[in-house]
Amino acid sequence: MALWTQVTDQIRADINTGRYPAGTLMPREIDLAQTYRTSKATIHKALAHLETEGLIIQTQGRGTLVRPQPARQRITLDTNVYRDELGYYFSAAVQDLRATQPPTVTEGPCPPDIAPLLGLAPAATVVIRDRVMGDPATGRVLQLATSYLPADLAAGAILAEADTGPGGIYDRMENDLGWGRLEWAGAISSRAATPEETRLLVLAPGVPVLCVTRTTTATAGAAAGRVVEVNATRRDASHFEVGYPIARHPS
């Protein structure tokens, strides 16, 4: 094991055990070098790596800050779809979120992880609807939601309009396009954040995004049996967690 890796492990352990409390500044690199009996260059490399893990923040002029660990907001696993005067929402915990900027609608190649869910070839053209949602009081961005719709169904139609009217795309699908009662299924995962997600969600270095991927399936009309939309919602994994009840089985 390389020396800088060993030093990184030691500093990480000291952060996790409270030697360097969250929200405080760490000693200078030259002092850390004396503490861990190594060179300043090794300390510099170790701190750079710990910053990519999101444990510390290296600031200009202030020094190295041990990143405060935010209290996580729990989103209880909710398998219901709701409707209010504005439209559909998934999970009662996000009902109060509002758009912090106008939605954008573009056409582009389907991402490789989304294409199989839509039954499309890799890089097939899709209509992409992006929404940035957050706290209406503070304007803080809390989630990013992107919908991918097959171009043969959505391009040039109301589904490709920025404003799809009351009830959004789901009312248009059910009421205007005659695609029957929509059905949804979801999955929860995590992944590394993209640079744009890091910017919009103001993520600390190394913090991943919590992803909820939801498929929408039509049950009638020309699109019967097809997945007509895949929605990918991303949140700051350091601020949100998914909770769920645990029941005692008869066994």
Side-chain angles (χ1 to χ4, degrees):
M1 181 183 293
L3 176 60
W4 75 268
T5 303
Q6 297 177 35
V7 173
T8 301
D9 290 344
Q10 292 171 0
I11 297 175
R12 184 192 302 108
D14 285 343
I15 290 172
N16 290 335
T17 56
R19 180 175 186 177
Y20 308 117
T24 65
L25 290 173
M26 294 184 66
R28 297 176 304 165
E29 289 187 3
I30 191 170
D31 297 325
L32 289 171
Q34 293 180 356
T35 299
Y36 295 97
R37 301 180 182 278
T38 188
S39 68
K40 185 178 175 182
T42 299
I43 291 295
H44 186 78
K45 191 171 184 178
L47 293 180
H49 184 80
L50 291 171
E51 186 170 33
T52 68
E53 295 181 9
L55 282 179
I56 63 173
I57 303 171
Q58 293 185 297
T59 64
Q60 196 76 335
R62 289 186 61 203
T64 301
L65 177 71
V66 181
R67 190 170 73 87
Q69 297 301 311
R72 281 198 168 103
Q73 178 180 339
R74 173 163 293 196
I75 298 178
T76 301
L77 187 60
D78 193 339
T79 57
N80 296 298
V81 56
Y82 300 88
R83 171 67 189 272
D84 62 14
E85 68 279 3
L86 296 179
Y88 292 79
Y89 58 97
F90 296 78
S91 175
V94 300
Q95 182 182 11
D96 293 335
L97 298 186
R98 295 292 182 268
T100 61
Q101 61 187 52
T104 61
V105 183
T106 58
E107 289 188 25
C110 191
D113 59 327
I114 301 295
L117 299 176
L118 286 169
L120 299 177
T125 300
V126 289
V127 171
I128 304 169
R129 303 182 58 88
D130 279 307
R131 291 179 298 150
V132 180
M133 310 293 291
D135 184 334
T138 65
R140 178 186 171 195
V141 176
L142 295 174
Q143 73 174 34
L144 309 174
T146 302
S147 291
Y148 301 91
L149 301 97
D152 65 297
L153 296 175
I158 184 64
L159 300 178
E161 298 291 332
D163 183 359
T164 53
I169 61 173
Y170 298 140
D171 265 12
R172 304 292 76 75
M173 290 175 178
E174 289 190 344
N175 301 332
D176 300 348
L177 298 174
W179 291 353
R181 289 174 61 84
L182 300 173
E183 296 178 348
W184 294 276
I188 300 172
S189 61
S190 65
R191 60 166 172 76
T194 66
E196 181 69 357
E197 290 166 345
T198 297
R199 182 183 71 83
L200 290 170
L201 292 169
V202 195
L203 300 178
V207 173
V209 285
L210 180 67
C211 307
V212 177
T213 304
R214 187 178 67 246
T215 58
T216 305
T217 303
T219 60
R226 284 189 65 176
V227 174
V228 294
E229 179 222 18
V230 173
N231 179 280
T233 297
R234 292 90 70 205
R235 300 183 180 97
D236 180 347
S238 71
H239 280 78
F240 291 93
E241 64 185 13
V242 178
Y244 55 92
I246 298 176
R248 184 181 293 271
H249 189 269
S251 63

